[in-house]
Amino acid sequence: MRIATYNVNGVNGRLRVLLRWLKEAAPDIACLQELKAPQEKFPEGPIRDLGYDVVWHGQKSWNGVAILSRVGNIHETRRGLPGDPDDSHSRYIEAAVNGILIACLYLPNGNPRPGPKFDYKLRWFDRLIGHAAELVACKQPVVLAGDFNVMPTELDVYKPERWLDDALFAPEARAAYATLLKQGWTDALRARHPREKIYTFWDYFRNAFGRTQACASTTFC
DNA sequence: ATGCCAGTCGTAGACTGA
């Protein structure tokens, strides 16, 4: 089964690219982040037309997460992490699909650091760690997929020394990610490429991804 | 440090988030 994750940065602004990607890559399950659309503005029709069942948690302007499946109906198990009833951000949705529990997450960016946004990031990370501990204990197949907004190691970014003050490379954020992994999760990338310099983060300014990949079809083309 | 992204409000482009 192919399970993919994609930060769309605006599900309506990026809809043509999203639909093309779903057709070409044809993931069995896809997790989307940064919908930037209220619940009623999610493009459900075009996605269902491609054969996907879908659940989503929208929000005006910011955030928003969705799970798509073309391998069986989606049974939503949770939206929002436990631990803070006042948290209004749409950043977590979870569902059972074809015998697998899928958690789609959009962890807070946390910049600037220090500041209240960074504090929120660390609190959200702690809540994720708490809930993830329960998921691990379930002893059934579980996938955490999404945008973790963390550079776990110096292998994950071009010139890590430039990011020492950034919330994504902060010691606290990297430690939180390590704590999460130690619960028993398998890092899908590092299980296969433990020592390889593979960027899991690109600066989206200055078309960093497109310039690095020397690729004719980035999301911005 | 800067800022080539998207959405909002509102009808231009400053502001915010990231």
Side-chain angles (χ1 to χ4, degrees), chain A residues 95-203:
Chain A
V97 188
N98 209 357
I100 303 178
L101 197 63
I102 304 288
C104 173
L105 64 98
Y106 176 45
L107 208 134
N109 176 292
N111 278 306
R113 164 181 176 261
K117 290 180 181 175
F118 187 66
D119 297 340
Y120 173 67
K121 178 193 188 110
L122 294 184
R123 285 200 309 276
W124 204 96
F125 224 143
D126 278 344
R127 290 163 60 204
L128 176 65
I129 288 166
H131 185 58
E134 295 189 13
L135 297 181
V136 162
C138 283
K139 301 293 181 193
Q140 73 173 71
V142 190
V143 172
L144 301 181
D147 184 343
F148 286 76
N149 261 319
V150 62
M151 307 165 190
T153 73
E154 58 281 353
L155 299 173
D156 288 278
V157 62
Y158 177 69
K159 300 210 173 183
E161 64 275 13
R162 290 184 181 177
W163 299 94
L164 293 172
D165 296 326
D166 194 277
L168 280 70
F169 198 59
E172 301 95 321
R174 296 165 65 187
Y177 187 79
T179 298
L180 179 68
L181 277 190
K182 280 185 198 139
Q183 294 178 332
W185 300 96
T186 300
D187 185 317
L189 178 73
R190 294 305 170 191
R192 285 175 176 259
H193 309 283
R195 302 258 175 260
E196 208 172 322
K197 180 121 184 157
I198 298 173
Y199 302 145
T200 61
F201 173 86
W202 279 267
D203 192 338

Side-chain angles (χ1 to χ4, degrees), chain A residues 28-135:
Chain A
D28 297 309
I29 293 170
C31 296
L32 309 183
Q33 305 85 38
E34 278 210 82
L35 304 178
K36 290 189 173 181
Q39 189 68 12
E40 65 275 14
K41 292 279 182 64
F42 183 84
E44 178 181 10
I47 288 170
R48 289 198 182 276
D49 288 345
L50 293 184
Y52 285 91
D53 190 19
V54 59
V55 293
W56 68 98
H57 192 196
Q59 178 183 336
K60 187 180 179 186
S61 304
W62 317 119
N63 311 317
V65 283
I67 299 173
L68 286 59
S69 164
R70 64 184 189 103
V71 288
N73 291 335
I74 300 171
H75 308 279
E76 185 176 323
T77 52
R78 160 171 287 282
R79 59 177 61 193
L81 283 175
D84 184 1
D86 295 329
D87 186 358
S88 60
H89 294 204
S90 297
R91 294 182 177 275
Y92 186 90
I93 192 166
E94 180 189 292
V97 188
N98 209 357
I100 303 178
L101 197 63
I102 304 288
C104 173
L105 64 98
Y106 176 45
L107 208 134
N109 176 292
N111 278 306
R113 164 181 176 261
K117 290 180 181 175
F118 187 66
D119 297 340
Y120 173 67
K121 178 193 188 110
L122 294 184
R123 285 200 309 276
W124 204 96
F125 224 143
D126 278 344
R127 290 163 60 204
L128 176 65
I129 288 166
H131 185 58
E134 295 189 13
L135 297 181

Side-chain angles (χ1 to χ4, degrees), chain A residues 6-14 18 32-36:
Chain A
Y6 178 17
N7 181 322
V8 292
N9 194 10
V11 72
N12 288 306
R14 198 78 72 207
L18 171 63
L32 309 183
Q33 305 85 38
E34 278 210 82
L35 304 178
K36 290 189 173 181

